[in-house]
Amino acid sequence: MSDRVYKLSEIVNTSTESIEKAIQAALDRASDSIRNLRWFEVVTTRGYIHPEHGLYYQVTLKVGFQLED
Amino acid sequence: MSDRVYKLSEIVNTSTESIEKAIQAALDRASDSIRNLRWFEVVTTRGYIHPEHGLYYQVTLKVGFQLED
Amino acid sequence: MSDRVYKLSEIVNTSTESIEKAIQAALDRASDSIRNLRWFEVVTTRGYIHPEHGLYYQVTLKVGFQLED
Amino acid sequence: MSDRVYKLSEIVNTSTESIEKAIQAALDRASDSIRNLRWFEVVTTRGYIHPEHGLYYQVTLKVGFQLED
Amino acid sequence: MSDRVYKLSEIVNTSTESIEKAIQAALDRASDSIRNLRWFEVVTTRGYIHPEHGLYYQVTLKVGFQLED
Amino acid sequence: MSDRVYKLSEIVNTSTESIEKAIQAALDRASDSIRNLRWFEVVTTRGYIHPEHGLYYQVTLKVGFQLED
Amino acid sequence: MSDRVYKLSEIVNTSTESIEKAIQAALDRASDSIRNLRWFEVVTTRGYIHPEHGLYYQVTLKVGFQLED
Amino acid sequence: MSDRVYKLSEIVNTSTESIEKAIQAALDRASDSIRNLRWFEVVTTRGYIHPEHGLYYQVTLKVGFQLED
Amino acid sequence: MSDRVYKLSEIVNTSTESIEKAIQAALDRASDSIRNLRWFEVVTTRGYIHPEHGLYYQVTLKVGFQLED
Amino acid sequence: MSDRVYKLSEIVNTSTESIEKAIQAALDRASDSIRNLRWFEVVTTRGYIHPEHGLYYQVTLKVGFQLED
Amino acid sequence: MSDRVYKLSEIVNTSTESIEKAIQAALDRASDSIRNLRWFEVVTTRGYIHPEHGLYYQVTLKVGFQLED
Amino acid sequence: MSDRVYKLSEIVNTSTESIEKAIQAALDRASDSIRNLRWFEVVTTRGYIHPEHGLYYQVTLKVGFQLED
């Protein structure tokens, strides 16, 4: 544990299904450009009501990833 | 976007099923008296344990709706 | 408990006597236009010192009331 | 001062010119439906960058208005 | 309601399935040692990405339980 | 002062009379099971309006007590 | 209202009687050295349990006073 | 930088023109009694709607000034 | 709206003219290295008083930009 | 990681030497009555100036410990 | 304890050695102009990296001192 | 000062020795990939108790670095 250095980023994503799906999609998308994702914290849970497409859940996540040597 | 005016209200609702169901029920109920609901933010997620009926999820939402001209 | 929907409002009132009197006056006044007041939370306790009339306690309350069917 | 009761509302408005214009427009719009506006507090200052129309300043205001007898 | 005294505790639990499952597991576990659990509030929603086992949802709950006479 | 160790607990109590009575009742009740109570901080002041019994003041206190050797 | 300049100070005082008495004593004491006290806000309400003298209410106030020309 | 000691004060001022004018007026007024003002932070931006004189912007600033040797 | 993923960054910039100019300069500078800037939120408004050059407004913005596919 | 349940407690301790010593002493003391301490978070860092014994660092820690099966 | 009145001030100081040295230097400097310093709370811990002189720890303290009769 | 633009990042690091060592290690590590580090703020101070290796101090820092032209 002594030499683990982490960096935090904030990302936002949405899902029409559930809060968990919005979290998973955000993490999937983040892992495209960030390796070694280790944890996240939900900063805000919001949503939008689209007149035609209905309800969107939107999460803002703070994600932590391990810096590589 | 230049002339959109919104008003915010806070509402509270519960569900025995899930946080998402509590959100949906709150928005459904709010849309009875408020037109043009556009977004929401989850302010708190709480719950109650009823001795007989079990667990209730309770969400407090801040909802934004567009004022009509 | 399953179908209780609440709406929250914020109100401000003052009393020259005590914090409790300011709370009671605020709730009394709110109940003129809002039915089914159920709970409140004290958001801030402030006060004013009037040069002649002395000290005013001022409370800002978030009040919750049950929406009727 | 002894019998002033206030109610607080939250409103959101935008301006392409300045933060002050967004505040003024929000208060103007609010005064259409709310009489006796007395004070406001800026809760958040945000903005949007529209690909074609440029920058929008968006303020969320908590406004206080005096309840009439 | 006049003589209900509550004590609050903070607990943390995880689930690989959903936020609701993490809440339920935390409450189940807490009720092993605490009787008369009455309500909870979600303090933080976090999660961990395990290299092999995938995503864990972790909730920190403040739980309230009634002191017995 | 060098070797005083404190532990903090959160408790909730109500009174129909005043905020101070709710504080005193909470401390009295806490001192049944906790010795050496030394200080408290009011975390929230809330209340309930019972349709028949009227107004209840409810305080949430963080209390500090000295651990014994 | 256009040329009122205020300065804010924070003061702490205690009372064995009530929160209101602690506020009044703090304002009385502050007015010895500060003229033109105009308003206050209660920042925290704490207290101490003295083994012999019983309960002390302690308030921390932010006070505003008008600067003289 | 090693021996710079600062003290912070909070001041409040208003302007009918803009938020920037309210900041400048507050700093000008503070510099009458405080030397070596170095920085400020806007704590709150509020305002008042005067029935006759219109809109006042009011800023609360935390200002830092260097203590002299 | 279903597949918009955003990332948030925090930037700081100053202007001798106004808060709006500091915001615009920060966004202009950010858009040199970040494409698809969509929104911002003002996190803090601070300032510095330079002994010779006068007053600087400094804003800290959280900016959101759309991740490209 | 799937079945780790934690409970959080808040403790306060002091040291005349350093913040780290106050943290260590608090954890040592807590581990007398709590097994399986796993992590802590510094909630506040305060201190007291004793007229004769000089400066005391005081930390309030939130500590997490694993519940045993 | 009944008649202790305190005033709070905020001060900022730096040290190249440690957080504790920055606290001590701030308290030493404050005691030049303030008598009866009794306690402090660390509000923020920041720092600066000087290109030549290296790392500076900077603490902002809220200090409490007893008003004299 | 007029054209300094900064970007903020959040990093996390640990040390078995002290909070200052955790800060230094985080800044050293950050300076491998970020040039022109100028300041930091301690966001949280946490720690872990490893069953065998003892106590780890963990700091989360917000660091500011100057964007190059």
Side-chain angles (χ1 to χ4, degrees):
Chain A
M1 197 186 286
S2 58
D3 51 358
R4 286 195 223 157
V5 191
Y6 299 97
K7 197 165 173 302
L8 304 179
S9 272
E10 260 184 304
I11 54 176
V12 183
N13 208 349
T14 56
S15 161
T16 56
E17 281 180 68
S18 70
I19 294 169
E20 283 84 352
K21 288 285 182 199
I23 292 172
Q24 288 164 15
L27 295 176
D28 283 351
R29 194 66 168 75
S31 63
D32 287 354
S33 59
I34 299 172
R35 288 209 292 173
N36 298 317
L37 275 179
R38 283 297 177 267
W39 86 84
F40 67 90
E41 177 167 349
V42 179
V43 179
T44 55
T45 304
R46 293 190 177 117
Y48 295 92
I49 301 106
H50 191 280
E52 291 159 43
H53 305 143
L55 183 57
Y56 287 79
Y57 300 100
Q58 183 197 58
V59 293
T60 301
L61 302 184
K62 192 166 277 196
V63 297
F65 52 97
Q66 196 170 343
L67 287 182
E68 296 173 68
D69 301 315
Chain B
M1 197 186 286
S2 59
D3 52 359
R4 284 193 224 161
V5 191
Y6 299 95
K7 198 164 173 302
L8 303 179
S9 272
E10 260 183 305
I11 53 176
V12 183
N13 208 348
T14 56
S15 161
T16 56
E17 282 180 69
S18 68
I19 295 169
E20 283 84 352
K21 287 285 181 200
I23 292 172
Q24 287 164 16
L27 295 175
D28 282 352
R29 195 66 168 74
S31 64
D32 288 353
S33 59
I34 299 171
R35 289 210 291 175
N36 299 315
L37 273 180
R38 283 295 176 268
W39 86 84
F40 67 90
E41 176 167 348
V42 179
V43 179
T44 54
T45 304
R46 292 189 179 118
Y48 295 91
I49 301 107
H50 192 280
E52 291 159 43
H53 305 143
L55 182 57
Y56 287 79
Y57 300 100
Q58 183 196 57
V59 294
T60 302
L61 302 183
K62 191 166 276 195
V63 298
F65 52 97
Q66 197 170 342
L67 288 181
E68 295 173 69
D69 301 315
Chain C
M1 196 187 288
S2 57
D3 52 359
R4 284 194 225 160
V5 190
Y6 298 96
K7 198 165 172 301
L8 303 179
S9 272
E10 259 183 306
I11 54 176
V12 183
N13 208 351
T14 56
S15 161
T16 56
E17 282 180 67
S18 69
I19 295 169
E20 283 84 352
K21 287 285 181 201
I23 292 172
Q24 288 165 16
L27 295 176
D28 283 352
R29 194 67 168 72
S31 63
D32 287 353
S33 58
I34 300 172
R35 289 209 292 175
N36 298 316
L37 273 179
R38 283 296 178 268
W39 86 85
F40 67 90
E41 177 168 348
V42 179
V43 180
T44 54
T45 304
R46 292 190 177 117
Y48 295 91
I49 301 108
H50 191 279
E52 291 160 42
H53 305 142
L55 183 57
Y56 287 79
Y57 300 100
Q58 183 196 57
V59 294
T60 301
L61 302 184
K62 192 167 277 195
V63 297
F65 53 97
Q66 197 171 343
L67 288 181
E68 296 173 71
D69 301 316
Chain D
M1 195 186 289
S2 58
D3 53 358
R4 285 194 223 159
V5 191
Y6 298 96
K7 197 164 173 302
L8 303 180
S9 272
E10 259 183 307
I11 54 176
V12 183
N13 207 348
T14 55
S15 161
T16 56
E17 281 179 69
S18 69
I19 295 169
E20 284 84 352
K21 288 285 181 198
I23 292 172
Q24 288 165 17
L27 295 175
D28 283 352
R29 193 66 167 74
S31 64
D32 288 353
S33 59
I34 300 171
R35 290 208 293 173
N36 298 317
L37 273 180
R38 283 296 176 268
W39 86 84
F40 67 90
E41 176 168 347
V42 179
V43 179
T44 53
T45 305
R46 293 192 179 117
Y48 295 91
I49 300 106
H50 190 279
E52 291 160 41
H53 305 141
L55 183 58
Y56 287 79
Y57 300 100
Q58 183 197 58
V59 294
T60 301
L61 302 183
K62 191 167 277 195
V63 298
F65 53 97
Q66 197 171 343
L67 287 181
E68 296 172 70
D69 300 314
Chain E
M1 196 186 288
S2 59
D3 51 359
R4 284 193 225 161
V5 192
Y6 298 97
K7 197 162 174 302
L8 303 179
S9 273
E10 258 183 305
I11 52 175
V12 183
N13 207 349
T14 56
S15 160
T16 56
E17 281 181 67
S18 69
I19 295 169
E20 283 84 351
K21 287 284 182 200
I23 292 172
Q24 288 165 16
L27 296 175
D28 282 352
R29 194 66 167 74
S31 64
D32 287 354
S33 59
I34 300 171
R35 288 210 292 174
N36 298 314
L37 274 178
R38 283 296 176 268
W39 86 84
F40 67 90
E41 177 167 348
V42 179
V43 180
T44 53
T45 305
R46 293 191 177 117
Y48 295 91
I49 300 106
H50 191 280
E52 291 160 42
H53 306 142
L55 183 57
Y56 286 78
Y57 300 100
Q58 182 196 59
V59 294
T60 301
L61 303 183
K62 193 167 276 195
V63 298
F65 52 96
Q66 197 170 342
L67 288 181
E68 296 173 69
D69 300 317
Chain F
M1 195 187 286
S2 56
D3 52 358
R4 286 194 222 158
V5 191
Y6 298 96
K7 197 165 172 302
L8 304 179
S9 271
E10 260 184 305
I11 53 176
V12 183
N13 206 352
T14 56
S15 160
T16 56
E17 282 180 67
S18 69
I19 294 168
E20 284 84 352
K21 288 284 182 199
I23 292 172
Q24 288 164 16
L27 294 176
D28 283 352
R29 195 64 167 76
S31 64
D32 288 354
S33 59
I34 299 173
R35 288 210 292 174
N36 299 316
L37 274 179
R38 283 297 176 267
W39 86 84
F40 67 90
E41 177 166 348
V42 179
V43 179
T44 54
T45 305
R46 294 191 177 116
Y48 295 91
I49 301 106
H50 191 279
E52 290 159 42
H53 305 142
L55 183 57
Y56 287 79
Y57 300 100
Q58 183 197 57
V59 294
T60 301
L61 303 183
K62 191 168 277 197
V63 298
F65 53 97
Q66 197 171 342
L67 288 181
E68 295 173 69
D69 301 316
Chain G
M1 195 186 289
S2 57
D3 53 0
R4 285 194 225 160
V5 191
Y6 298 96
K7 197 163 173 303
L8 304 179
S9 273
E10 258 183 306
I11 53 176
V12 183
N13 208 349
T14 55
S15 161
T16 56
E17 281 180 69
S18 69
I19 294 168
E20 283 84 352
K21 287 285 182 199
I23 292 173
Q24 288 165 17
L27 295 175
D28 283 353
R29 194 66 167 74
S31 64
D32 288 353
S33 59
I34 299 172
R35 289 209 293 173
N36 299 315
L37 274 180
R38 283 295 176 270
W39 86 85
F40 67 90
E41 176 166 348
V42 179
V43 180
T44 53
T45 304
R46 293 191 178 117
Y48 295 91
I49 301 105
H50 191 279
E52 291 159 42
H53 306 142
L55 183 57
Y56 287 79
Y57 300 100
Q58 182 196 58
V59 293
T60 301
L61 302 184
K62 192 167 276 195
V63 297
F65 53 96
Q66 197 170 342
L67 288 181
E68 297 173 68
D69 302 316
Chain H
M1 195 188 288
S2 56
D3 52 357
R4 286 195 222 157
V5 190
Y6 298 96
K7 197 164 173 302
L8 304 180
S9 273
E10 260 184 305
I11 53 175
V12 183
N13 208 350
T14 55
S15 161
T16 57
E17 281 180 68
S18 69
I19 295 168
E20 282 85 352
K21 287 285 182 201
I23 292 172
Q24 288 164 17
L27 295 176
D28 282 352
R29 194 66 167 74
S31 63
D32 287 354
S33 59
I34 298 172
R35 289 209 292 174
N36 298 316
L37 273 179
R38 284 296 177 266
W39 86 84
F40 67 90
E41 176 167 347
V42 179
V43 179
T44 54
T45 304
R46 293 190 176 117
Y48 295 92
I49 300 107
H50 191 279
E52 291 159 43
H53 304 143
L55 183 57
Y56 286 79
Y57 300 101
Q58 183 196 58
V59 293
T60 301
L61 302 184
K62 191 167 277 197
V63 298
F65 52 97
Q66 197 170 342
L67 288 180
E68 296 173 69
D69 300 315
Chain I
M1 193 186 289
S2 58
D3 52 359
R4 285 194 225 160
V5 191
Y6 298 96
K7 197 164 174 300
L8 304 179
S9 273
E10 259 184 305
I11 53 175
V12 183
N13 207 349
T14 56
S15 160
T16 56
E17 282 180 66
S18 69
I19 294 168
E20 284 84 352
K21 288 285 182 200
I23 293 172
Q24 288 165 17
L27 296 175
D28 283 353
R29 194 65 168 74
S31 63
D32 288 354
S33 58
I34 298 172
R35 289 210 291 176
N36 298 316
L37 274 179
R38 282 296 177 269
W39 86 84
F40 67 90
E41 176 166 348
V42 179
V43 179
T44 54
T45 304
R46 293 191 178 118
Y48 295 91
I49 301 107
H50 191 278
E52 290 159 42
H53 305 142
L55 184 56
Y56 287 78
Y57 300 100
Q58 182 197 58
V59 293
T60 302
L61 302 183
K62 192 168 276 196
V63 298
F65 53 95
Q66 196 170 344
L67 287 182
E68 294 173 70
D69 301 316
Chain J
M1 195 187 288
S2 58
D3 52 359
R4 286 193 224 159
V5 191
Y6 298 97
K7 197 163 174 302
L8 304 179
S9 272
E10 259 184 304
I11 53 174
V12 183
N13 208 348
T14 55
S15 161
T16 56
E17 282 180 67
S18 70
I19 295 169
E20 283 84 352
K21 287 285 181 199
I23 292 173
Q24 289 165 14
L27 295 176
D28 282 352
R29 195 65 168 75
S31 62
D32 287 353
S33 58
I34 299 172
R35 288 209 293 173
N36 299 315
L37 275 178
R38 284 296 177 266
W39 86 84
F40 67 89
E41 176 167 348
V42 179
V43 179
T44 54
T45 304
R46 293 189 178 119
Y48 295 91
I49 300 108
H50 191 280
E52 292 159 43
H53 305 142
L55 182 57
Y56 287 78
Y57 300 100
Q58 183 196 59
V59 294
T60 302
L61 302 184
K62 191 167 278 195
V63 297
F65 52 97
Q66 197 170 342
L67 288 180
E68 295 174 69
D69 300 316
Chain K
M1 195 186 290
S2 57
D3 50 0
R4 286 194 223 157
V5 191
Y6 298 96
K7 197 163 174 302
L8 304 179
S9 271
E10 259 183 306
I11 53 175
V12 182
N13 207 349
T14 55
S15 160
T16 56
E17 282 180 67
S18 69
I19 295 169
E20 282 85 351
K21 288 285 181 198
I23 292 173
Q24 288 165 16
L27 295 175
D28 283 351
R29 195 65 168 76
S31 64
D32 288 353
S33 59
I34 300 172
R35 289 208 293 173
N36 299 314
L37 274 179
R38 283 296 177 267
W39 86 85
F40 67 89
E41 176 167 347
V42 179
V43 180
T44 54
T45 304
R46 291 189 179 119
Y48 295 92
I49 300 107
H50 191 280
E52 291 159 42
H53 305 141
L55 183 57
Y56 287 79
Y57 300 100
Q58 183 196 59
V59 294
T60 302
L61 302 183
K62 191 167 278 196
V63 297
F65 52 96
Q66 197 170 342
L67 288 180
E68 296 173 69
D69 299 315
Chain L
M1 196 186 287
S2 58
D3 50 359
R4 287 194 224 159
V5 191
Y6 298 96
K7 197 163 174 303
L8 304 179
S9 273
E10 259 184 304
I11 53 174
V12 183
N13 207 351
T14 55
S15 161
T16 56
E17 282 180 66
S18 69
I19 295 169
E20 284 84 351
K21 288 286 182 198
I23 292 173
Q24 289 165 15
L27 295 175
D28 282 352
R29 194 66 167 75
S31 64
D32 287 353
S33 59
I34 299 171
R35 289 209 292 174
N36 298 316
L37 274 179
R38 284 297 176 268
W39 86 83
F40 67 90
E41 176 167 349
V42 179
V43 179
T44 53
T45 304
R46 293 191 177 118
Y48 295 91
I49 300 108
H50 191 279
E52 291 158 42
H53 305 141
L55 182 58
Y56 286 79
Y57 299 100
Q58 183 197 59
V59 294
T60 302
L61 302 183
K62 191 167 277 195
V63 297
F65 53 96
Q66 197 170 341
L67 287 181
E68 297 173 68
D69 299 316

